[in-house]
Amino acid sequence: MKRKERKLIKTTTWSAGPGCHGGCGVIAHIEDGRLIKIEGDKEHPWNQGRLCARILAMKQYIEHPSRLRRPMINTGERGKGKWKEVSWDEAFDYIEKKMKAIRDEYGPESMIFAMGTGRDIGPWICMLAYAYGSPNVMFALSGNACYSPRIAALDTFQGDYCVFDAAQWLQKRYDEPRFKVPECMIVWGYNIHATCPDNLFGHWIVDLMKRGTKIISIDPRLSWFASRAKYWLRIRPGTDSALAMGFLYVIIKEGLYDKNFLNNWTNGAHLIRKDTNKLLRESDIIPEGKNDNFVAWDEKEKRPIVWDTSILEYRPYVKSPMITGNCKIKTIDGKLVVCHTVWDAFCKKVFEYDPEKVSIITGVPAKDIIEAARFYGKGKPASIHWGVPIDMTPNITPLCHAIASMWALTGNLDIPGGNVFSRFAFDAVAYALPGAEGVIKLKSKEQDLPRIGADKYGPFRKFIWRCQTDTAFEQIFTKKPYPIKGMWIQTCNPLAGIGMDPKKWEEALKRLDFVVGVDLFMTPTMEYADVVLPAATFLEKDGVRSWWVPLQSINKALSVNECKSDAEINFELAKRFDPDFKWNTLEELFDEIIKPSGLKFKELKEKVWVFPPEGHPSHPYHRHEKGLLRPDRRPGFQTPSGRFELYSILREEWGLEPMPFHEEPPFTPISRPDLAKDYPLILSTGRRSPVYFYSEHRMIPWLRHLDPDPVVEIHPETAKEYGITNGEWVFVENWMGRARFKAKVTPVVPQWMVMAAHGWWFPEKKGEENELYGVWESNINQLIPMNAHGKDGLGAPIKHLLCKIYRA
Amino acid sequence: MEEKGIKGLLIDYEYCTGCYTCVVACAQEYNWPEGISGIKVMEIVENLPGGKHYLVYLPFPTEVCTLCASRTKKGLEPACVKHCMAGCMKYGTISELAEEMGTKKRMVLYRPR
């Protein structure tokens, strides 16, 4: 018998498929247009041949009998499951007609475009929304509490995002002579074995540990890291900002900070008026002075000097102005104002958090805080990796400010083995992300005006080009200031995963006139759509990926029935909605996105990945010193002051706290002792499973077998107290609702906390007749409210609620 | 002298993170139905004195493990070893692996069926 011809296709992972943020190099083995198997590409510097369970299960994903394979129109009442298969033309015509009618009658902004996590979807949903004319692209999580708050926070204080360095920017990785293995790494709320969120390969940290890195683990659970850490700080969820302030206390009091960085690269020397507690500006002291120039004190000449933000120098030139102390300065209205430095004000704030006090707030012994802070402060180099729990608290931005101040003040920013700036490869940016303007954008600033929440929240005007999710969600009910009539929901499942208070999401979907869903499987959310379009996995499409380094191509390996990529689907409709749509083919658009690399998409496909060269802003290290970060190419950061801002100018302008601090979250035993009487346990959610990504993959047999049931982790003592045995079904309940879980009795959780799995629904159950695949049985989000975000519109209390448990 | 060529699997359980890559890599390679695989991963929470704990994940080759004879004869690594994200599995002759085992703690050497 003749052997079938096998084609080996090199490509790059990204969702749909594994669910994660992608980046792994793979080789797809294809025979007769079918995937035989998928293997890791050993030559690829990202994963070096390794792969996760979810990628290795792609065969079952692609060929799954429940895959959506043709477009479908809902012929009955939504949620009743009366689906009719139609052709793409019919589906596109129907959608075009319905959405144009909404646009004509109510305006394009009355259509919301909802997406899930950071997969290969952002550019394409923006492309469609913008071609339609709506600025209302929504990341459907309360408080937008996944990643973009962290990115926006760092853009606010240091101008660019950064991540821990595992030499991922360099072809030779750990063997690159410039790279240094960190002596210390803080793993802050992140669990290694489960998924690779945030566009990083999780096991890079294991690579570093094998090369000598010692871990400080900050986690209420005994995670894999906690178990192997030099210091494990078992923190009470939601008190991270207090802990970070405690770290800063030790670092500053013990002189473990880098004075050169403080003097030359922060705004520590700038003056704050003691009468208003605001920054002293040039316009305060000179009639023609600018509002965006700041003032410092020349100790030698006893005079104020101006920090000119257009040249990033002092006028008259002084190398090191006063960093600590008071001075009196005459303002233009003749007043003599006492000022102190930002550094003094920052220290004063930090010194409110001595280790004893922090110990009381966080539950971490003071001795451990001191020793861990010393270990980090003395580590040369040292880095920090933070997980999504950082976003999932309303005080997200001050928390990020405190943590970022740790790596900045210890001189660990953009050095080998420290926290390194993560620019898009070659600065090739597909669409507007925090801190970057992409190829895909709205036609005019006017079109952006109705974007929901942008008028209320500073970060949404400056960095986050989405709607503020809770505000948009409320607007569906209030119809103010304008009605929301329709929703385009693409690879997003608010009833089962991303939506807090999901029964209210069901209510919201019912109120809409028209809902389009794009997904790979029917989900509880898709049951509420009028049209469902079948999307492709990463193996079934071409694409580009510039999400940091390297620049990568996704190379189509096969097709599945009539499934189309998200990009193809949205491209077709974008052309229909916008008569002036700029591109004729997707390839033209890919070419434009990757233009800064000097490559055409066809050429990139041959290479699969390519690294930016030395000297490019997306290539490390020491970029603030080399003048690679700012458009004017002056040394410094892309912040209003051009310096790392210990005191944030933007936060001051937004009327928010300009320096870091701790605030107790809204639903804890401390903030709500009244609720804690009935709900005595801390409810934490979102622990990851290595075989699932959020609400995905429950239908993949190889994966489901490994994590078959929704599980709540309960400490043995707590289980004993409530008469619960291992493997028994229990209810987790609070004032919002309840959900059913299988008890896993384990000492990995503290006695005072339970950890409930998230994203659960049951694809094996019925979807029609409002059964919705059992989505209300074990959906922990029913216990979590919307609208509990922070003052800047960001963060949500997803890691620290209150509950009680009892046998089901 | 055949004994010298006997192959085995060396696991560094200090670094196994319990990601289940090995289980699914094997399932994919041999198209096993769910529930069958040449390797299983056990989670062990060790209780230690002073209320402390140590979390271990331990891969264990099952009765269907052939050490990927079909792959290794082509010079490829076993599917689990190739994909292991923690790089904590090694395939080789028992004698080589035993020697390596002497150089590091928290290792276990298997000679499957």
Side-chain angles (χ1 to χ4, degrees):
Chain A
M1 202 171 79
K2 200 178 153 230
R3 269 185 78 90
K4 284 180 186 164
E5 192 199 343
R6 183 173 289 197
K7 280 196 286 186
L8 301 182
I9 296 172
K10 278 193 177 207
T11 183
T12 309
T13 65
W14 205 356
S15 284
C20 65
H21 298 169
C24 288
V26 294
I27 299 170
H29 294 235
I30 308 290
E31 279 180 13
D32 274 350
R34 285 186 65 194
L35 179 69
I36 301 304
K37 68 174 166 183
I38 188 161
E39 297 216 296
D41 183 355
K42 265 216 144 95
E43 288 169 18
H44 200 291
W46 185 278
N47 53 315
Q48 299 170 315
R50 302 172 277 185
L51 282 182
C52 70
R54 299 183 315 282
I55 283 285
L56 291 163
M58 277 308 293
K59 192 174 154 62
Q60 285 193 335
Y61 193 113
I62 285 175
E63 300 191 344
H64 199 285
S66 308
R67 260 299 284 281
L68 290 167
R69 289 158 197 278
R70 299 196 74 199
M72 297 196 298
I73 289 181
N74 202 337
T75 59
E77 194 188 324
R78 273 191 247 149
K80 297 283 183 201
K82 306 282 179 231
W83 295 100
K84 185 180 110 189
E85 288 198 343
V86 295
S87 70
W88 276 104
D89 281 341
E90 278 175 86
F92 281 142
D93 290 347
Y94 182 62
I95 293 166
E96 185 185 353
K97 195 177 117 208
K98 287 278 195 181
M99 280 175 63
K100 278 185 172 169
I102 289 174
R103 183 166 68 179
D104 291 346
E105 196 171 348
Y106 301 98
E109 64 274 12
S110 62
M111 208 47 218
I112 286 178
F113 295 76
M115 62 187 270
T117 188
R119 42 193 86 211
D120 189 14
I121 174 66
W124 321 125
I125 199 162
C126 288
M127 173 181 73
L128 176 63
Y130 299 167
Y132 182 74
S134 174
N136 284 325
V137 177
M138 173 204 259
F139 169 63
L141 185 60
S142 175
N144 302 53
C146 180
Y147 222 8
S148 59
R150 271 175 288 161
I151 298 174
L154 292 195
D155 286 343
T156 306
F157 321 123
Q158 68 178 34
D160 269 286
Y161 195 65
C162 68
V163 296
F164 75 94
D165 186 17
Q168 61 267 46
W169 336 94
L170 309 166
Q171 174 73 33
K172 285 197 239 159
R173 296 291 308 268
Y174 309 111
D175 297 332
E176 178 73 41
R178 275 175 299 172
F179 174 70
K180 274 193 189 152
V181 173
E183 288 180 357
C184 164
M185 185 168 177
I186 300 182
V187 176
W188 206 313
Y190 175 66
N191 193 14
I192 187 75
H193 69 278
T195 73
C196 298
D198 297 357
N199 197 28
L200 298 155
F201 187 78
H203 282 74
W204 290 340
I205 307 176
V206 178
D207 299 346
L208 295 175
M209 287 166 75
K210 286 182 178 174
R211 288 164 173 78
T213 302
K214 297 275 182 286
I215 300 294
I216 297 171
S217 167
I218 299 171
D219 204 318
R221 285 178 78 247
L222 179 85
S223 66
W224 187 87
F225 282 123
S227 181
R228 280 149 183 78
K230 186 173 169 74
Y231 298 100
W232 170 33
L233 311 183
R234 175 170 256 184
I235 189 173
R236 177 167 66 86
T239 63
D240 307 67
S241 39
L243 184 61
M245 295 301 270
F247 268 104
L248 285 169
Y249 180 100
V250 177
I251 288 165
I252 295 171
K253 283 278 184 189
E254 300 195 4
L256 300 175
Y257 58 95
D258 179 340
K259 291 178 186 69
N260 171 49
F261 191 90
L262 170 66
N263 287 320
N264 296 319
W265 299 108
T266 74
N267 65 345
H270 296 181
L271 295 173
I272 294 173
R273 302 170 59 138
K274 283 197 163 177
D275 59 341
T276 59
N277 279 324
K278 293 205 158 135
L279 282 167
L280 184 69
R281 298 180 184 243
E282 188 190 24
S283 52
D284 290 334
I285 59 165
I286 299 169
E288 287 81 38
K290 284 168 132 181
N291 193 48
D292 55 4
N293 286 341
F294 303 91
V295 183
W297 185 254
D298 178 355
E299 274 178 300
K300 210 169 138 210
E301 304 289 335
K302 303 268 178 271
R303 62 177 178 186
I305 48 173
V306 170
W307 175 253
D308 188 332
T309 53
S310 65
I311 52 170
L312 301 190
E313 272 179 22
Y314 290 107
R315 279 192 277 116
Y317 178 78
V318 168
K319 190 169 185 300
S320 291
M322 177 176 81
I323 192 76
T324 178
N326 288 331
C327 57
K328 279 185 193 159
I329 290 179
K330 206 170 169 189
T331 60
I332 44 172
D333 45 17
K335 275 203 317 195
L336 207 55
V337 174
V338 181
C339 297
H340 62 157
T341 61
V342 160
W343 177 239
D344 279 350
F346 185 85
C347 290
K348 194 170 166 230
K349 194 90 216 156
V350 168
F351 294 160
E352 291 172 23
Y353 296 87
D354 63 83
E356 290 298 334
K357 178 178 167 182
V358 171
S359 175
I360 292 166
I361 300 171
T362 59
V364 179
K367 183 174 162 282
D368 292 357
I369 297 168
I370 295 166
E371 285 180 13
R374 279 181 192 151
F375 185 59
Y376 173 74
K378 290 178 183 171
K380 296 286 172 250
S383 65
I384 301 177
H385 176 50
W386 55 18
V388 76
I390 301 295
D391 298 304
M392 290 183 167
T393 194
N395 202 38
I396 145 80
T397 311
L399 166 59
C400 285
H401 202 178
I403 297 176
S405 301
M406 285 170 61
W407 61 58
L409 287 173
T410 52
N412 279 305
L413 188 52
D414 215 33
I415 65 164
N419 279 73
V420 172
F421 290 120
S422 50
R423 300 284 287 249
F424 296 92
F426 298 94
D427 286 336
V429 187
Y431 68 116
L433 281 160
E437 194 179 65
V439 167
I440 293 162
K441 44 181 161 263
L442 276 166
K443 278 191 195 147
S444 68
K445 297 268 180 236
E446 283 68 46
Q447 279 190 325
D448 194 42
L449 291 177
R451 185 158 50 84
I452 301 167
D455 54 335
K456 249 165 106 180
Y457 300 110
F460 288 81
R461 287 195 293 281
K462 185 84 181 166
F463 299 118
I464 300 178
W465 311 111
R466 310 284 169 265
C467 8
Q468 201 287 332
T469 304
D470 306 80
T471 315
F473 183 69
E474 284 307 309
Q475 193 168 325
I476 294 171
F477 296 96
T478 63
K479 306 186 174 78
K480 291 197 172 93
Y482 55 84
I484 303 301
K485 304 307 285 186
M487 200 180 283
W488 174 280
I489 304 176
Q490 194 159 16
T491 55
C492 174
N493 190 1
L495 295 198
I498 201 169
M500 299 302 129
D501 198 358
K503 280 192 176 145
K504 201 169 171 193
W505 273 93
E506 185 186 32
E507 209 42 55
L509 293 181
K510 282 183 185 167
R511 291 194 181 208
L512 299 170
D513 290 354
F514 188 59
V515 177
V516 184
V518 188
D519 217 309
L520 291 97
F521 293 92
M522 281 310 281
T523 67
T525 304
M526 289 299 106
E527 293 289 346
Y528 275 105
D530 294 284
V531 192
V532 170
L533 305 176
T537 70
F538 75 95
L539 286 168
E540 302 154 38
K541 70 181 176 189
D542 280 328
V544 293
R545 188 176 184 285
S546 70
W547 202 7
W548 308 336
V549 174
L551 179 66
Q552 295 172 299
S553 72
I554 300 169
N555 297 346
K556 185 171 177 171
L558 71 151
S559 300
V560 172
N561 298 82
E562 295 185 27
C563 299
K564 286 181 192 283
S565 75
D566 294 293
E568 288 172 306
I569 294 168
N570 294 15
F571 195 87
E572 168 64 31
L573 277 167
K575 281 197 289 188
R576 290 180 184 227
F577 288 133
D578 180 5
D580 306 321
F581 193 65
K582 205 172 150 190
W583 302 279
N584 294 307
T585 64
L586 254 181
E587 190 167 331
E588 273 180 26
L589 174 52
F590 293 157
D591 281 344
E592 189 170 337
I593 292 167
I594 67 165
K595 202 174 167 191
S597 72
L599 294 171
K600 291 275 186 197
F601 178 61
K602 273 202 182 102
E603 295 165 315
L604 180 63
K605 278 187 82 164
E606 294 294 314
K607 295 174 188 285
V608 191
W609 72 89
V610 50
F611 282 91
E614 175 101 48
H616 192 274
S618 55
H619 183 96
Y621 297 100
H622 307 291
R623 278 163 281 188
H624 54 290
E625 294 171 21
K626 296 175 188 161
L628 289 171
L629 298 173
R630 296 169 53 87
D632 64 10
R633 288 295 183 254
R634 289 180 193 277
F637 303 95
Q638 288 194 85
T639 55
S641 67
R643 289 296 174 258
F644 181 95
E645 295 184 357
L646 295 168
Y647 181 105
S648 167
I649 293 164
L650 288 171
R651 297 265 300 172
E652 182 193 270
E653 288 172 3
W654 295 333
L656 299 165
E657 302 82 355
M659 288 184 294
F661 68 104
H662 171 66
E663 186 171 64
E664 186 66 27
F667 305 103
T668 72
I670 306 298
S671 60
R672 294 301 301 271
D674 56 324
L675 291 173
K677 267 189 229 156
D678 293 327
Y679 306 104
L681 294 167
I682 293 177
L683 166 63
S684 199
T685 72
R687 173 203 42 90
R688 291 169 190 259
S689 163
V691 294
Y692 301 138
F693 208 89
Y694 302 130
S695 65
E696 285 191 73
H697 302 116
R698 301 302 188 291
M699 70 294 283
I700 309 299
W702 284 334
L703 301 178
R704 181 70 179 273
H705 179 79
L706 293 165
D707 192 358
D709 301 305
V711 157
V712 60
E713 293 170 343
I714 307 170
H715 189 275
E717 290 299 321
T718 312
K720 202 162 50 171
E721 189 185 336
Y722 293 95
I724 292 163
T725 51
N726 191 43
E728 184 171 27
W729 287 95
V730 297
F731 278 112
V732 179
E733 181 176 316
N734 71 8
W735 60 95
M736 299 264 312
R738 69 177 190 177
R740 193 170 158 268
F741 291 87
K742 203 171 199 177
K744 179 174 178 181
V745 177
T746 168
V748 306
V749 283
Q751 288 187 35
W752 36 263
M753 182 186 109
V754 296
M755 171 57 82
H758 68 295
W760 272 92
W761 57 291
F762 303 91
E764 65 274 20
K765 296 191 179 182
K766 272 203 245 169
E768 65 269 27
E769 299 300 332
N770 304 96
E771 292 196 22
L772 296 176
Y773 309 100
V775 74
W776 307 128
E777 288 174 28
S778 301
N779 184 344
I780 195 64
N781 292 354
Q782 292 171 106
L783 281 71
I784 305 175
M786 296 282 292
N787 290 312
H789 47 82
K791 279 174 259 183
D792 54 4
L794 301 171
I798 296 172
K799 298 286 180 187
H800 35 67
L801 264 109
L802 294 165
C803 72
K804 64 178 178 184
I805 52 171
Y806 54 94
R807 295 165 70 179
Chain B
M1 282 294 97
E2 232 178 57
E3 289 294 303
K4 272 197 175 162
I6 290 176
K7 300 294 199 292
L9 210 49
L10 182 66
I11 308 286
D12 181 341
Y13 65 85
E14 181 177 357
Y15 289 113
C16 174
T17 62
C19 71
Y20 295 111
T21 276
C22 50
V23 180
V24 184
C26 182
Q28 180 192 232
E29 187 71 24
Y30 298 100
N31 214 11
W32 294 116
E34 71 272 17
I36 300 181
S37 176
I39 199 145
K40 291 222 172 244
V41 178
M42 293 175 287
E43 183 186 87
I44 301 155
V45 185
E46 297 178 24
N47 294 323
L48 304 175
K52 292 194 157 64
H53 304 280
Y54 189 70
L55 180 60
V56 174
Y57 292 99
L58 187 61
F60 184 91
T62 71
E63 286 299 294
V64 300
C65 174
T66 62
L67 285 174
C68 273
S70 55
R71 287 176 64 95
T72 53
K73 75 179 176 204
K74 289 187 222 155
L76 300 169
E77 287 173 307
C80 57
V81 175
K82 179 190 168 15
H83 289 107
C84 174
M85 291 206 286
C88 69
M89 309 175 87
K90 200 165 177 183
Y91 167 80
T93 65
I94 296 281
S95 49
E96 284 162 7
L97 297 176
E99 200 171 310
E100 190 167 339
M101 196 172 179
T103 65
K104 192 191 167 297
K105 293 174 185 172
R106 300 194 179 96
M107 307 279 255
V108 56
L109 177 56
Y110 292 115
R111 180 186 170 182
R113 179 182 71 87

